[in-house]
């Protein structure tokens, strides 16, 4: 039995239940693939022994019958999730050696469903980045390659995207504050969904910007996202913003029927300088949904242009507050102090050594926009603009629009190091199509729909109404089927 | 909103101090320049008419849940101290705070 690591969750589930394979065989196949893929920099903490014992338990549960859909499925977990007894350092030096005494709710939900954890996945430090280049572990590398350049898998969930695209695991967890699930999914030809804010508990997920952060699945197919999302979400009393709503059977909602659905095409997403290929892909996507019986309508989201600047006030402001906890006292790194150094020197030296340049930059921007005299001018103004951005979507949904179709990213994957000398703002533009969705708290999904002229994957994004992930996944499923994206990266690693 | 003010090295130093991040003197001009680039980008928000618009406090209209004010957790001193860089005699240890 070879290549079991290439299965989808749905295929593996069916074969596990039919007793054609065992979770131990499946897990072993993934572990071998992981050991042969160090060049991708995707898995940064491997948990072989833990994985095999979880697989054994899953096999016992499967043998007993009535196991959940995710039972026995091997997953990679983003390093942002606290996992009990296993290194969890948000790809930061400041959390070096941190082994939580607790498990995040999302990863616990997955364990309760019988999944197997293969290890922890690379990411941008504290999820701040769009190329996985801010990680203390070094770069994660895109398994897609078209010339001798090493390409970014995107970020911040770059390790998750690389691992799924390279078949090192059946699926992975990601988190998304401004596009960190959807952009890497688009760069690597996989599916990633950020659910409605409040769908997944944030408890035990290292906080970046609490009003924007959401966890979600990164998978090979839309069906797999539906299966895995159901296992991840649910009400959690430990997260006050967690929604106390029933979790539907998302997979059962994949009917393939979108006749009569109204799909909006927002004119403000037609950006100046957008590559013609992405423009073409976008209109092909609209045609596919129209052919499936949906009605395509032009819509306007007038405040789109202001989403990125509002995000770059709100997210750093929240980050400066959330990251104040890394003080060298309770966990992680503490700087070596000189004779006579007091507690202030300890804080300042620890944080200068422990945080990388992008994290320091965002903490300080956040500190500035929250400081006396600037709070109203920057922070409150950004929160007012955020209200208007959310209202843009509410107005469109009030006209009967069911989902909105946009490009997922303004380009295909770029080369690692190509943005090093660029202004940080250039890197921030990667999130131009995704960040509105976080500001409005909506569900958004990236679906691989084509290849560019060089052979790199491109994705489209669908944005749904709040709490209607099931309907959104169904539309995404139709788009996926119509696009028929089956390309895989050629193995070079 | 007051007009856009350029960040000086003095302001950059003050922000670094507030953020409790040590920045060496010679790195301050570059840091100030980065702040200026980012704040220049943020400046676009001044174009938006926000008169009468409430700042968003919660993205979902849900009312936060309440619970009985009972102690439901605790007695985990060992676990709490487990990851501390320096823990002694059941406490977090830090450099001298007061003379």
């Amino acid at each position: 039995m070879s290549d079991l690591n290439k299965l989808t969750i749905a295929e593996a589930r069916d074969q596990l239940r039919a007793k054609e394979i065992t979770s131990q065989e499946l897990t072993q196949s993934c572990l071998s693939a992981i050991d042969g893929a160090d060049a991708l920099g995707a898995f940064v903490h491997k948990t072989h022994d833990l994985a095999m014992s979880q697989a054994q338990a899953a096999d016992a549960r499967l043998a007993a019958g009535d196991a959940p859909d995710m039972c026995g499925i091997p997953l990679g977990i983003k390093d942002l999730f606290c996992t009990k007894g296993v290194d969890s350092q948000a790809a930061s030096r400041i959390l070096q050696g941190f082994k939580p005494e607790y498990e995040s709710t999302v990863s616990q939900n997955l364990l309760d469903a019988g999944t197997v954890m293969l290890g922890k996945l690379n990411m941008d430090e504290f999820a701040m980045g769009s190329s996985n280049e801010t990680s203390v572990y070094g770069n994660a590398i895109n398994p897609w390659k078209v010339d001798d350049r090493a390409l970014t898998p995107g970020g911040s969930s770059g390790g998750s995207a690389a691992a799924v695209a390279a078949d090192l695991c059946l699926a992975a967890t990601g988190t998304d504050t401004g596009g960190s699930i959807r952009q890497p999914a688009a760069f690597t030809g996989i599916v990633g969904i950020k659910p409605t804010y409040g769908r997944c508990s944030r408890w035990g997920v290292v906080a970046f910007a609490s009003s924007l952060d959401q966890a979600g699945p990164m998978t090979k197919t839309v069906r797999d996202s539906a299966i895995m999302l159901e296992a991840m979400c649910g009400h959690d009393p430990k997260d006050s913003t967690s929604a106390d709503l029933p979790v539907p059977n998302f997979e059962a909602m994949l009917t393939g029927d979108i006749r009569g659905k109204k799909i909006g095409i927002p004119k403000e997403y037609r950006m100046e300088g957008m590559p013609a290929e992405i423009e073409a892909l976008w209109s092909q996507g609209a045609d596919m949904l129209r052919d499936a019986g949906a009605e395509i309508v032009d819509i306007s989201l007038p405040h789109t242009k202001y989403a990125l600047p509002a995000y770059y006030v709100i997210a750093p402001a929240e980050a400066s507050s959330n990251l104040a906890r890394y003080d060298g006292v309770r966990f992680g790194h503490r700087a070596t102090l000189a004779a006579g150094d007091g507690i202030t020197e300890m804080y300042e030296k620890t944080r200068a050594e422990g945080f990388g340049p992008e994290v320091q930059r965002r903490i300080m921007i956040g500190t500035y926009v929250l400081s006396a005299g600037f709070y109203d001018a920057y922070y409150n103004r950004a929160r007012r603009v955020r209200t208007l951005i959310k209202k843009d979507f509410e107005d469109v949904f009030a006209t009967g629009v069911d989902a909105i179709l946009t490009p997922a990213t303004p380009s295909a994957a770029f080369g690692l190091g190509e943005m090093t000398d660029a202004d940080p703002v250039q890197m921030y533009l990667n999130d131009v199509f995704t960040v509105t969705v976080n500001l409005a708290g909506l569900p958004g999904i990236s679906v691989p729909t084509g290849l560019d002229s060089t052979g790199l994957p491109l994705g489209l994004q669908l944005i749904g109404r709040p709490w209607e992930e099931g309907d959104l996944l169904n539309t995404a499923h139709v788009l996926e089927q119509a696009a028929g994206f089956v390309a895989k990266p050629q193995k070079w690693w | 909103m007051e007009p856009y003010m350029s960040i000086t090295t003095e302001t950059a130093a003050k922000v670094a101090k507030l953020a409790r991040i040590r920045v060496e003197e010679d790195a301050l001009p570059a840091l100030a320049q980065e702040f200026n680039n980012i704040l220049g980008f943020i400046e676009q928000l001044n174009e938006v008419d926000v008169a009468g618009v409430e700042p968003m406090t919660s993205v979902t209209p849900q009312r936060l849940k309440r619970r009985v004010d009972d102690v439901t957790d605790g007695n985990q001193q060992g676990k709490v101290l487990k990851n501390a860089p320096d823990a002694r005699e059941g406490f977090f240890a830090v450099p001298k705070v007061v003379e």
Side-chain angles (χ1 to χ4, degrees), chain B residues 20-88:
Chain B
R20 297 291 183 270
I21 296 174
R22 168 166 293 215
V23 178
E24 299 304 331
E25 199 73 35
D26 58 358
L28 286 172
L31 185 66
Q33 186 52 47
E34 276 180 357
F35 287 171
N36 280 320
N37 290 348
I38 295 169
L39 293 171
F41 177 63
I42 291 168
E43 214 51 23
Q44 291 176 68
L45 294 177
N46 285 336
E47 298 165 16
V48 186
D49 180 7
V50 293
V53 179
E54 282 297 307
M56 186 185 286
T57 48
S58 170
V59 76
T60 45
Q62 286 167 312
R63 187 170 175 274
L64 288 180
K65 288 207 165 224
R66 294 175 181 196
R67 62 166 174 80
V68 180
D69 187 16
D70 281 340
V71 177
T72 57
D73 208 346
N75 296 321
Q76 313 190 45
Q77 191 188 40
K79 286 185 173 183
V80 169
L81 294 172
K82 184 100 188 298
N83 279 289
D86 191 2
R88 294 177 217 167

Side-chain angles (χ1 to χ4, degrees), chain A residues 26-36 47-48 51-52 118 168:
Chain A
L26 188 60
T27 300
Q28 192 54 60
S29 174
C30 290
L31 291 171
S32 303
I34 290 166
D35 285 335
T47 53
H48 282 61
M52 287 314 295
L118 297 163
L168 308 186

